[in-house]
Amino acid sequence: MAETIASMRRPKRGRPPRPRESDFVTGEEFEDEEEGEDHAEAADGLAPPRSKRKREASAAAAAALEDLTLIDIVKHNGRLISHAVKRLVEDYESNPKSVLFQILTMLFEVCGARHDIYASDLHEAAVDDIVFKLAELARKGLVDDNYSSKRKDLKNFKENLVTFWDSLVLECQNGPLFDDNLFTTIKDYVVAISCTPPRVYRQVASLVGLQLVTSFISVAKTLSGQRETTQRQLNAEKKKHSDGPAVESLNKRLSITHENITYLEESMRKIFSGLFMHRYRDVDPEIRMLCIKSLGIWVVSYPSLFLQDIYLKYLGWTLNDKNAGVRRTSILALQSLYDVDDNIPSLGLFTERFYSRMIQLADDIDISVAVPAIGLIKQLLRHQLLSDDDLGPLYDLLIDEPPMIRRAIGELVYDHLIAQNCKTPSVARDGNNESSEIHISRMLHILREFSDDPVLSSYVIDDIWDDMKAMKDWKCIISMLLDETLIAELTDMDGTNLVRMLRASAKKAVGERIVPATDNRKMYYNKSQKEILENSKSDITNALMKRYPQLLRKYLPDKAKISPLIDMMMLLKLEMYSLKRQEQNFKAAIDLIVDAFFKHGDKDTLRSCIKAIAFCCMKCQADLLDYAENKLKILEDELVLKVKTAIKEVEAGDDEYSLLVNLKRLHELQLSKPVKNDGLFEDMYRILSHLKEMDNEVKSFLLINMFLEVAWCLHAIGVENPSETSIEGLSSKQRSLLEQLYYFLVVLSNYQKEGRSTTVLSSRVCIITAEMWCLFKKSKYSSTKLKNLGYLPQLEYVQKFWKLCEQQLNISDDTEDEDANEEYIEDTNRDAVMIAAAKLLLADTVSKDYLGPEIVSHYVSHGASTTEIIKHLITALKKNADSDIAALFFEALRRAYERYMTYLREGENQNLIAKSYSECQDLANRLAGYYVGAVRIKNKSEILKIIQCGVQFAFVDLPKQLSFLEAALVPFVSKLPSSDIPDICTEEGTGYRYE
């Protein structure tokens, strides 16, 4: 009836028809069949039909077992392993030799040996003789590597092999395991095979031998439990009757169990000494990893035998293994060991011996080793096995480059130094808040070590941020800044660090980076992540909304704290001010930011103020937007007035400080927007022309502000319909600025005084000159209404420009000037100068014939960063079809050589002569390095041209320039085939043959 109903039922759509039970047999059906037999009576009338199918499947499976060998089952039919093992154990009682032969044959075959060993051979020959035959088969190549095979049908080979031996040991635990025949013979063969030369033999034998020990441990643990139970029963029985059959029976059972445990432990020791002690240092790192992983399992699962220094030392020794995988495996084994509290008393001597190596591994060259090593150190700290003095080198890793290392160290620092036994006083208003205060105080203690460098502080905060919830407790941080907590008042240094932490933590909370990314990839968030970030921004805004003006007002005079506080404005949801009716707090905050702009003159504070006000002008709505825009307009007008007033005061003979500070403010404002003014450019030009003795820093800010105004004017007039008045006005400003720049190009080139202020001015002149030439490139405007603005610099000015640039490149980084301001040094260093010069070439602003070789000739002369800039320049020029790379390279080599000859003629500084010659050789090697592989063949004509021009140059003025051949041409000659070299040795017109 059931079958009829099932046949009438509509099949599910899209599902293929179910295969017949007789089509195949699985191990699950064998298990189901056994269960079915045990529960047949309890299943009433529903069981017989299902039980019948199982019996049919069992019969088919039995037939399948008859047709399959053990090696086939291990390779392809893992589900049949348990049934095959049961069959082997059943047959062992009647025919032990046959079963032993089957198992050993399977062992040889899983090793891959194509053997012809028969049962008689195994019974008659010694173990060593059989293993020698197997080794001979490997030497002849008669071996299949099943262990490392990538074949799809062998993907479960290792897992099946381990399962087979584990099942065999467990199935034999009530008989053959202790008969001193079956497993003794297997042990002998496994140990012998593990010592043979063929790698695949060692791999398989090591896997089998190590698994045997693991399985022996499982049986030994079961027997240990039985022994304890029997001992309790015996003790209880003795209390009743001191003697009797029950006591005798229990004593006998206890004795047998103890003997079996002793037998297993002895077997484990033999495999350890015969296999592990040789294979843990095998040349194959995979075998070494397998040994150490197994030892870690043994120590944890059977500490009564393996938790001893004679075994633990191997885990310590392999911490020094040359393979990172082995070191990592050893660390993971130790982690599992230290994770068990009961093991700690026995690990004292081991820890004392190897703890220094564990600490060293935290800085391992391989990240996959360093990260778990840091986790291991955390465990040692948790068990108080390390002192704080031992951790000193680890804290340096907080600012290490790989993020995974920093993250792991951050977690360690949080657990050990910040979350240490945090006790909440009963007087606290809020237990969680009090905990936050304590955690933040401890964090500030750590940050004191990095107070001098805000960048390093950001790294430390980034490392610990994920673990430390207190850094997201905005109300607690604000209360501590306002001195409203029970903890002692903050020191000035702690206050600065806490403000930095508030800004950095808020940035992290809203999804911004606070340290540079290693891959420079843009961060993307899914919908749920964006919601979390928006909620964080709302939380920050709610916490700051009413307290923000108080913070700004309190720290307004403090230059170090006010800048990060002002940056907080850009992390708020400004629309919430209107929703929460907090417009007055917003206006108060804007007013205080404007006050900070006019109170301070440092770059960070000025830039933060402008960015914050500009952010408000962009994100605010309605009345708040009008207020922010009006404040920006007032700030702009007041600043222009202050600059004009300061100019008049300087012209009248007053101090230049006020002018310098207001020029800095104007510079920061003009970086973000054009500034409307009447005659300010003319005022700056006038004072720059008339007062030549002004401070160099004042001159540099006058020039940069004049340039910014010119750039904004060009941007404003457009190209389509410019008015004549605007063109004339811009043209006048262009001429005035170029006049001043050319004046400084000449003066500064001959200026002998060194110092940072002179360097900054010279760099500013070089950079602004290059920007002006690019901005008004003649070809850019030749076909527009602005063609009169197009400008092409004469070669004379390009040469003066490069002379000043070269002077800046040669200035030592150690040059110091106590009076110079270091704020803008990054904008005016030698890299900025080199980029400006390279930009002229890439934009085709000036001729490449002069400037190109001059730049390339400095390829290796000024450090790694400058070298990288020139490398990118050459790469870009090579992509340009119009570039004559051969001429560029030869001219660069010639000019580098001429610098050497100039020093040689002067003959004053032998070190400088040697250095310039070495640089010439290094330049030749670098440039010749562009011709390797297929490029050498493709650009053979370029190499020939460089060599031919070089030979002609060397023979022009004999013998003075003959050294050019060795200094510059040898690397290029080595790039040519030997057959081409005679063709270039004789040069027409020279009358010489160079060999």
Side-chain angles (χ1 to χ4, degrees):
M1 180 65 181
E3 293 177 0
T4 305
I5 294 174
S7 64
M8 293 172 62
R9 194 175 296 150
R10 181 171 65 86
K12 293 184 179 179
R13 222 170 342 190
R15 181 175 294 178
R18 186 175 181 180
R20 297 190 303 272
E21 298 289 349
S22 58
D23 289 345
F24 60 87
V25 181
T26 66
E28 290 178 351
E29 290 169 335
F30 282 110
E31 296 169 4
D32 292 343
E33 188 250 347
E34 293 172 0
E35 293 174 1
E37 290 178 353
D38 293 340
H39 299 87
E41 295 180 1
D44 295 326
L46 297 177
R50 183 170 177 81
S51 182
K52 181 179 179 182
R53 289 197 300 273
K54 290 176 186 173
R55 284 196 298 272
E56 292 174 354
S58 179
L65 282 175
E66 294 294 335
D67 297 334
L68 293 174
T69 61
L70 286 179
I71 186 64
D72 291 330
I73 292 173
V74 170
K75 281 184 175 181
H76 312 297
N77 296 276
R79 292 183 176 182
L80 298 178
I81 287 176
S82 60
H83 304 283
V85 168
K86 288 179 182 178
R87 177 73 62 86
L88 287 173
V89 175
E90 291 172 0
D91 294 345
Y92 184 80
E93 296 179 4
S94 58
N95 195 350
K97 292 184 177 180
S98 173
V99 171
L100 178 61
F101 173 71
Q102 292 180 58
I103 294 173
L104 292 178
T105 300
M106 186 273 292
L107 175 63
F108 303 154
E109 289 172 346
V110 294
C111 288
R114 303 176 202 161
H115 67 89
D116 54 356
I117 299 173
Y118 299 99
S120 58
D121 298 331
L122 289 178
H123 302 318
E124 296 172 1
V127 172
D128 291 342
D129 296 335
I130 298 295
V131 173
F132 180 78
K133 287 183 180 180
L134 296 175
E136 282 295 305
L137 292 174
R139 190 178 61 81
K140 295 176 183 178
L142 301 176
V143 172
D144 299 319
D145 190 353
N146 299 317
Y147 188 88
S148 303
S149 176
K150 302 297 182 183
R151 284 166 46 189
K152 189 174 181 180
D153 60 332
L154 292 175
K155 65 179 182 179
N156 296 322
F157 173 75
K158 296 178 187 177
E159 180 184 347
N160 291 344
L161 185 59
V162 168
T163 302
F164 173 83
W165 291 101
D166 186 52
S167 301
L168 183 63
V169 171
L170 296 179
E171 193 67 30
C172 293
Q173 63 180 313
N174 295 320
L177 180 58
F178 304 102
D179 68 354
D180 209 22
N181 176 35
L182 176 63
F183 280 92
T184 300
T185 306
I186 291 172
K187 266 187 309 186
D188 292 342
Y189 274 100
V190 168
V191 170
I193 293 173
S194 72
C195 297
T196 56
R199 178 170 300 199
V200 64
Y201 286 5
R202 300 198 313 276
Q203 288 173 331
V204 172
S206 298
L207 180 65
V208 172
L210 297 171
Q211 179 55 44
L212 284 175
V213 175
T214 304
S215 301
F216 289 164
I217 288 174
S218 298
V219 177
K221 289 172 69 177
T222 302
L223 292 176
S224 296
Q226 293 175 1
R227 181 172 61 182
E228 292 177 3
T229 302
T230 304
Q231 185 66 59
R232 286 197 302 270
Q233 292 174 344
L234 179 61
N235 293 338
E237 191 65 30
K238 282 183 176 180
K239 289 180 181 179
K240 299 177 185 178
H241 308 284
S242 59
D243 211 358
V247 173
E248 185 179 348
S249 174
L250 289 171
N251 271 323
K252 184 177 180 182
R253 189 195 309 171
L254 184 64
S255 176
I256 293 172
T257 304
H258 181 73
E259 288 176 2
N260 288 342
I261 292 173
T262 304
Y263 176 84
L264 287 174
E265 291 181 349
E266 185 60 30
S267 298
M268 296 179 209
R269 291 190 186 96
K270 286 182 179 179
I271 294 178
F272 187 91
S273 59
L275 188 151
F276 180 94
M277 289 177 62
H278 300 286
R279 297 285 66 80
Y280 90 95
R281 54 185 179 180
D282 195 281
V283 295
D284 186 355
E286 185 174 351
I287 294 177
R288 302 202 300 273
M289 280 190 281
L290 193 61
C291 289
I292 297 305
K293 181 179 180 181
S294 298
L295 179 57
I297 294 171
W298 302 342
V299 176
V300 172
S301 57
Y302 204 61
S304 60
L305 175 63
F306 289 103
L307 189 58
Q308 302 179 55
D309 289 332
I310 58 171
Y311 299 109
L312 294 175
K313 64 185 179 183
Y314 296 100
L315 295 177
W317 287 345
T318 49
L319 291 173
N320 296 289
D321 196 279
K322 63 183 179 181
N323 182 270
V326 180
R327 297 197 300 274
R328 182 175 187 274
T329 303
S330 182
I331 292 169
L332 294 177
L334 290 173
Q335 280 187 344
S336 61
L337 188 58
Y338 282 99
D339 202 38
V340 181
D341 292 343
D342 292 340
N343 292 340
I344 304 305
S346 303
L347 289 170
L349 186 60
F350 173 83
T351 305
E352 184 180 347
R353 182 178 178 184
F354 293 104
Y355 81 92
S356 60
R357 178 56 184 160
M358 299 179 200
I359 294 174
Q360 291 172 4
L361 286 174
D363 196 19
D364 194 273
I365 191 172
D366 194 286
I367 296 178
S368 66
V369 176
V371 172
I374 295 168
L376 176 60
I377 293 171
K378 281 178 56 181
Q379 290 178 299
L380 296 178
L381 288 170
R382 181 169 65 88
H383 295 297
Q384 299 180 349
L385 297 174
L386 291 180
S387 66
D388 289 343
D389 295 338
D390 298 323
L391 301 180
L394 291 182
Y395 297 143
D396 294 336
L397 299 178
L398 282 168
I399 52 177
D400 205 54
E401 184 59 31
M404 292 178 65
I405 301 291
R406 292 194 289 105
R407 178 71 186 82
I409 290 291
E411 190 176 340
L412 183 149
V413 169
Y414 174 75
D415 288 344
H416 182 61
L417 298 181
I418 297 176
Q420 48 164 348
N421 302 323
C422 182
K423 298 180 180 179
T424 305
S426 58
V427 297
R429 300 184 308 273
D430 185 330
N432 291 331
N433 191 60
E434 184 68 20
S435 175
S436 294
E437 292 174 10
I438 295 173
H439 285 189
I440 290 170
S441 297
R442 290 171 180 165
M443 180 67 180
L444 292 176
H445 182 75
I446 296 171
L447 291 177
R448 288 174 195 165
E449 301 294 326
F450 307 92
S451 293
D452 295 335
D453 194 333
V455 175
L456 298 185
S457 297
S458 296
Y459 272 89
V460 176
I461 293 167
D462 184 67
D463 300 338
I464 302 175
W465 191 83
D466 288 331
D467 297 298
M468 187 173 169
K469 292 182 180 180
M471 270 201 272
K472 280 85 84 177
D473 191 340
W474 316 116
K475 292 182 179 178
C476 178
I477 296 175
I478 294 168
S479 296
M480 291 180 71
L481 285 171
L482 294 174
D483 298 327
E484 297 175 352
T485 61
L486 298 177
I487 293 181
E489 185 177 344
L490 296 173
T491 64
D492 183 65
M493 181 186 297
D494 286 344
T496 301
N497 287 329
L498 186 55
V499 170
R500 290 173 182 168
M501 188 173 78
L502 173 63
R503 177 182 60 179
S505 182
K507 281 187 172 183
K508 289 276 290 181
V510 301
E512 295 184 18
R513 287 194 177 105
I514 61 174
V515 297
T518 53
D519 52 9
N520 292 321
R521 288 187 299 178
K522 188 177 179 180
M523 299 173 70
Y524 292 97
Y525 300 101
N526 57 35
K527 185 178 179 180
S528 61
Q529 289 173 327
K530 289 179 180 177
E531 289 178 359
I532 293 172
L533 297 179
E534 283 298 311
N535 291 336
S536 297
K537 186 175 283 193
S538 298
D539 293 341
I540 296 169
T541 307
N542 277 323
L544 270 176
M545 195 177 294
K546 296 180 180 179
R547 318 298 294 279
Y548 195 31
Q550 298 177 38
L551 287 171
L552 291 173
R553 193 173 290 111
K554 178 178 178 180
Y555 294 106
L556 186 64
D558 195 322
K559 180 175 69 173
K561 300 180 182 66
I562 193 63
S563 177
L565 280 177
I566 292 172
D567 287 340
M568 292 296 297
M569 176 65 83
M570 291 171 280
L571 305 176
L572 305 181
K573 292 182 74 172
L574 300 183
E575 61 269 24
M576 291 181 63
Y577 276 95
S578 299
L579 294 174
K580 301 278 189 177
R581 298 181 181 274
Q582 295 294 323
E583 292 88 348
Q584 291 304 316
N585 282 317
F586 173 82
K587 293 177 181 179
I590 288 287
D591 292 343
L592 288 165
I593 291 173
V594 172
D595 291 345
F597 180 78
F598 286 110
K599 187 173 186 63
H600 295 281
D602 61 289
K603 180 176 115 176
D604 291 338
T605 303
L606 296 177
R607 194 160 290 183
S608 295
C609 291
I610 295 299
K611 286 182 178 180
I613 298 172
F615 176 79
C616 294
C617 292
M618 183 173 59
K619 295 292 185 180
C620 286
Q621 298 174 357
D623 294 342
L624 297 185
L625 175 62
D626 294 339
Y627 190 84
E629 290 178 342
N630 185 51
K631 272 293 177 182
L632 183 58
K633 179 67 172 64
I634 293 172
L635 179 148
E636 182 180 322
D637 294 341
E638 186 176 349
L639 178 58
V640 170
L641 181 60
K642 283 180 177 288
V643 174
K644 287 188 172 187
T645 303
I647 289 174
K648 292 178 181 178
E649 290 173 351
V650 171
E651 288 177 329
D654 287 352
D655 186 71
E656 299 168 2
Y657 176 76
S658 177
L659 177 59
L660 175 61
V661 172
N662 284 297
L663 285 173
K664 286 183 179 181
R665 292 170 183 155
L666 181 63
H667 171 234
E668 296 299 332
L669 184 57
Q670 285 201 102
L671 286 176
S672 63
K673 67 182 296 293
V675 176
K676 295 180 180 180
N677 62 83
D678 294 324
L680 183 57
F681 183 92
E682 289 72 17
D683 291 344
M684 291 189 288
Y685 171 75
R686 185 182 69 250
I687 192 173
L688 200 56
S689 302
H690 295 162
L691 299 181
K692 301 298 185 183
E693 300 302 320
M694 281 190 302
D695 183 77
N696 285 331
E697 193 173 9
V698 176
K699 294 175 185 176
S700 68
F701 275 101
L702 285 167
L703 288 171
I704 190 64
N705 278 296
M706 291 170 69
F707 167 73
L708 288 173
E709 182 165 345
V710 169
W712 280 117
C713 288
L714 179 61
H715 180 268
I717 64 175
V719 180
E720 298 296 330
N721 296 304
S723 66
E724 291 295 329
T725 306
S726 60
I727 294 177
E728 290 177 5
L730 179 56
S731 180
S732 174
K733 292 177 179 178
Q734 177 199 42
R735 289 192 302 271
S736 299
L737 181 54
L738 286 174
E739 175 193 328
Q740 290 298 321
L741 290 171
Y742 290 164
Y743 166 79
F744 284 112
L745 283 178
V746 175
V747 171
L748 292 173
S749 297
N750 302 317
Y751 194 61
Q752 298 301 318
K753 181 181 176 182
E754 289 189 355
R756 283 295 189 193
S757 60
T758 307
T759 301
V760 170
L761 177 58
S762 300
S763 299
R764 284 285 191 202
V765 170
C766 293
I767 295 167
I768 295 172
T769 301
E771 292 292 342
M772 283 291 289
W773 288 348
C774 289
L775 197 61
F776 294 100
K777 187 171 69 170
K778 194 173 186 66
S779 60
K780 184 177 179 181
Y781 302 104
S782 59
S783 58
T784 68
K785 295 181 180 181
L786 301 178
K787 61 182 178 181
N788 291 334
L789 293 175
Y791 182 79
L792 179 64
Q794 298 175 7
L795 180 60
E796 173 192 359
Y797 291 118
V798 177
Q799 291 173 338
K800 291 177 180 177
F801 163 80
W802 178 248
K803 182 180 179 182
L804 186 58
C805 289
E806 199 170 28
Q807 183 177 307
Q808 298 308 109
L809 294 174
N810 290 325
I811 290 177
S812 171
D813 292 332
D814 298 330
T815 301
E816 295 183 358
D817 187 347
E818 295 180 358
D819 299 328
N821 195 325
E822 299 287 335
E823 282 183 311
Y824 294 89
I825 201 67
E826 292 182 1
D827 302 333
T828 56
N829 57 19
R830 64 164 63 125
D831 290 346
V833 172
M834 183 59 78
I835 290 170
K839 186 177 179 180
L840 292 173
L841 291 182
L842 295 178
D844 286 325
T845 305
V846 299
S847 173
K848 297 184 179 70
D849 297 339
Y850 169 76
L851 191 57
E854 288 288 357
I855 293 176
V856 176
S857 70
H858 288 266
Y859 196 175
V860 295
S861 303
H862 307 294
S865 57
T866 306
T867 298
E868 196 67 20
I869 294 167
I870 299 176
K871 176 183 174 182
H872 287 294
L873 171 65
I874 294 173
T875 303
L877 291 176
K878 286 173 71 69
K879 294 178 181 178
N880 190 340
D882 297 333
S883 299
D884 187 348
I885 298 300
L888 174 69
F889 283 5
F890 166 69
E891 283 296 319
L893 290 167
R894 184 176 66 82
R895 294 182 194 188
Y897 180 77
E898 286 176 346
R899 285 200 297 272
Y900 156 70
M901 293 297 292
T902 300
Y903 295 134
L904 186 63
R905 283 192 297 269
E906 294 173 355
E908 296 179 359
N909 191 329
Q910 294 299 319
N911 291 332
L912 198 57
I913 294 172
K915 180 184 177 185
S916 60
Y917 185 79
S918 175
E919 286 176 356
C920 188
Q921 290 181 312
D922 293 343
L923 175 64
N925 287 320
R926 279 297 186 108
L927 297 182
Y930 282 93
Y931 301 102
V932 292
V935 178
R936 178 177 59 180
I937 300 171
K938 180 181 177 182
N939 297 314
K940 178 180 171 182
S941 60
E942 290 185 8
I943 302 175
L944 285 169
K945 182 176 178 180
I946 293 170
I947 295 173
Q948 289 167 357
C949 292
V951 171
Q952 291 175 5
F953 173 74
F955 282 85
V956 166
D957 187 10
L958 285 175
K960 294 181 180 179
Q961 297 178 176
L962 203 58
S963 60
F964 181 77
L965 297 174
E966 181 182 0
L969 294 190
V970 171
F972 290 93
V973 174
S974 67
K975 301 295 180 181
L976 289 176
S978 57
S979 58
D980 291 333
I981 294 178
D983 297 336
I984 63 172
C985 288
T986 303
E987 293 298 324
E988 296 181 4
T990 62
Y992 294 92
R993 179 179 178 86
Y994 174 68
E995 295 181 356

